Amino acid sequence: MKKRAASSLLAILAVVSLILPALAAAPADPPAVEEPFPEVSQEIEEVQNAICLDGEPVFTVEYEIRDGVCYATVNSFVSMMDAEAMVEEEDGVVRVNASAVVEVVEIPAQGESMSEEFQKTVEAAQMQAAEDGLWMTPDETQQPVDGMGEEEPVPAVTDAPVAANVVMDDLNMVAVEGEQYLVANDRYLYAGDGLIEINGCVAAPIRVLAKVFNVNVDFDAENDVVVLTRQPGAQPYLDAGWETYNNDTLYWLARIINAESGNQSLEGKIAVGNVVMNRLNHPRFPDTIYEVLFQKNQFTPAATGSIYREPNEESVAAAKMVMDGAQVLPTALFFNAAGLKSYAAKTRTYVATIGDHAFYE
């Protein structure tokens, strides 16, 4: 029995001795190759999955999601939208200046009449042409500036239609880290929880930055993509405040905000402004801001005269933000001192308390 077992063991060892050299000679599977710089590849994928402009993925915008809000650094967003814009950033303050040629003006042929407004546009085109080294005169010739170009006369400006590029739009923007808004062309754009810092740069909610450039914003929840789309025919930058804000509304809104909440937080100021504008847009209340504010037994400052006091700077800024769509309380129609047993407190639906005021629908 022992001899048979020993013989079997010797046979097995012989087989193994033949197999091992063969295994040693067989080529081994190549080692798994690690992807170079996996962190960079992951970041690129995240950017591609996060932001698209006009259907194309964007790789250059620095962004971060905080509490469900997509923030982008001002400098990277501006560079995406306008590569020639001047961006200066230092000590938590970023300033942007840009200009764009947005319209081609066609000067009509001789004998065609022009409106006064169009005449001004033509004059602007002529001034721009002069800056570019051309004289434009109403007589029979258009001549080069001394020492420039050919001396032979060319067809007169009024002889035939002439296309001229005119600078029609400018952007001046300031954003300060920690502020709750940014200013662009004297438009005050509310940024909710404020401007933050990303990698040493000032960042703002991407919806706010998109408004500066007249870009539509949507969110593709299925693919986690922020979708930016240029508006067809839109100007490259938002219109200036003096073109946008109604002076009468701004005058009264800033004063009632100051009188009612001049010592409150910016959020509290905007909430008071929301109540006024919600009333203005509600069928139950008057159709003008003056009538809303001076409606009997509604706003105490209108009765006491304190509404006429000069508003402080933040009250004016809050009024502009409200006029630009800032909403803290989109449904509130009433407010009073917090804890006061008023008509609104007894009969209306409570919404929130901000600072010293309680607000109701």
Side-chain angles (χ1 to χ4, degrees), residues 201-218:
C201 298
V202 179
I206 204 165
R207 287 187 180 276
V208 176
L209 293 172
K211 187 170 183 176
V212 174
F213 291 90
N214 292 320
V215 173
N216 291 328
V217 184
D218 201 356

Side-chain angles (χ1 to χ4, degrees), residues 225-238:
V225 176
V226 176
V227 181
L228 306 174
T229 310
R230 290 184 177 91
Q231 301 177 32
Q235 300 294 318
Y237 320 117
L238 79 176

Side-chain angles (χ1 to χ4, degrees), residues 305-355:
S306 62
I307 193 173
Y308 295 105
R309 293 174 184 167
E310 191 70 20
N312 59 35
E313 184 177 350
E314 190 170 76
S315 293
V316 175
K320 290 182 177 181
M321 286 180 230
V322 171
M323 295 177 70
D324 241 311
Q327 288 189 329
V328 172
L329 301 175
T331 61
L333 293 169
F334 300 86
F335 68 92
N336 51 235
L340 182 68
K341 299 300 181 181
S342 65
Y343 162 81
K346 296 176 182 177
T347 62
R348 311 297 299 187
T349 302
Y350 170 79
V351 175
T353 297
I354 301 176

Side-chain angles (χ1 to χ4, degrees), residues 6 30 43 50 79 87 94 109-110 113 127 165 172-173 184 251 316 349:
E43 288 179 5
S79 296
V87 182
V94 58
Q110 187 173 10
S113 61
M127 291 177 63
N165 290 326
N172 295 284
M173 180 168 67
Y251 178 91
V316 175
T349 302

Side-chain angles (χ1 to χ4, degrees), residues 284-308:
R284 174 178 172 179
F285 297 94
D287 296 330
T288 70
I289 190 167
Y290 181 88
E291 292 174 317
V292 165
L293 297 179
F294 286 86
Q295 190 175 18
K296 187 177 180 180
N297 298 328
Q298 294 302 306
F299 292 91
T300 302
T304 63
S306 62
I307 193 173
Y308 295 105

Side-chain angles (χ1 to χ4, degrees), residues 146-192:
D146 291 343
M148 298 181 64
E150 299 292 332
E151 295 298 329
E152 296 180 6
V154 295
V157 172
T158 54
D159 281 349
V162 177
N165 290 326
V166 182
V167 175
M168 296 290 290
D169 213 1
D170 298 291
L171 173 64
N172 295 284
M173 180 168 67
V174 179
V176 181
E177 181 186 342
E179 292 285 3
Q180 290 180 270
Y181 59 91
L182 61 79
V183 183
N185 289 351
D186 197 37
R187 298 274 293 275
Y188 283 67
L189 308 181
Y190 185 54

Side-chain angles (χ1 to χ4, degrees), residues 14-207:
V15 172
V16 170
S17 66
L18 293 173
I19 294 174
L20 284 177
L23 290 175
D29 292 336
V33 178
E34 293 186 3
E35 182 181 359
F37 309 111
E39 298 85 359
V40 174
S41 299
Q42 183 179 1
E43 288 179 5
I44 291 176
E45 183 178 355
E46 287 177 356
V47 172
Q48 183 173 357
N49 290 340
I51 299 172
C52 283
L53 174 63
D54 294 333
E56 297 294 330
V58 176
F59 298 93
T60 56
V61 174
E62 292 183 277
Y63 76 97
E64 188 172 312
I65 308 295
R66 293 193 186 179
D67 298 326
V69 177
C70 183
Y71 290 83
T73 61
V74 175
N75 57 17
S76 67
F77 191 93
V78 170
S79 296
M80 173 186 69
M81 297 304 305
D82 188 344
E84 297 182 0
M86 294 181 59
V87 182
E88 298 178 352
E89 185 160 1
E90 187 176 5
D91 298 331
V93 180
V94 58
R95 292 179 171 84
V96 179
N97 292 282
S99 294
V101 177
V102 297
E103 185 173 347
V104 175
V105 176
E106 193 171 273
I107 302 173
Q110 187 173 10
E112 293 185 9
S113 61
M114 302 186 215
S115 67
E116 182 178 349
E117 181 179 355
F118 191 76
Q119 179 66 44
K120 292 179 180 178
T121 306
V122 171
E123 290 172 359
Q126 291 173 332
M127 291 177 63
Q128 183 65 39
E131 292 178 5
D132 292 338
L134 288 177
W135 251 30
M136 283 192 172
T137 61
D139 57 18
E140 295 300 322
T141 60
Q142 176 181 336
Q143 299 176 348
V145 174
D146 291 343
M148 298 181 64
E150 299 292 332
E151 295 298 329
E152 296 180 6
V154 295
V157 172
T158 54
D159 281 349
V162 177
N165 290 326
V166 182
V167 175
M168 296 290 290
D169 213 1
D170 298 291
L171 173 64
N172 295 284
M173 180 168 67
V174 179
V176 181
E177 181 186 342
E179 292 285 3
Q180 290 180 270
Y181 59 91
L182 61 79
V183 183
N185 289 351
D186 197 37
R187 298 274 293 275
Y188 283 67
L189 308 181
Y190 185 54
D193 292 332
L195 308 184
I196 65 173
E197 177 267 331
I198 297 177
N199 297 329
C201 298
V202 179
I206 204 165
R207 287 187 180 276

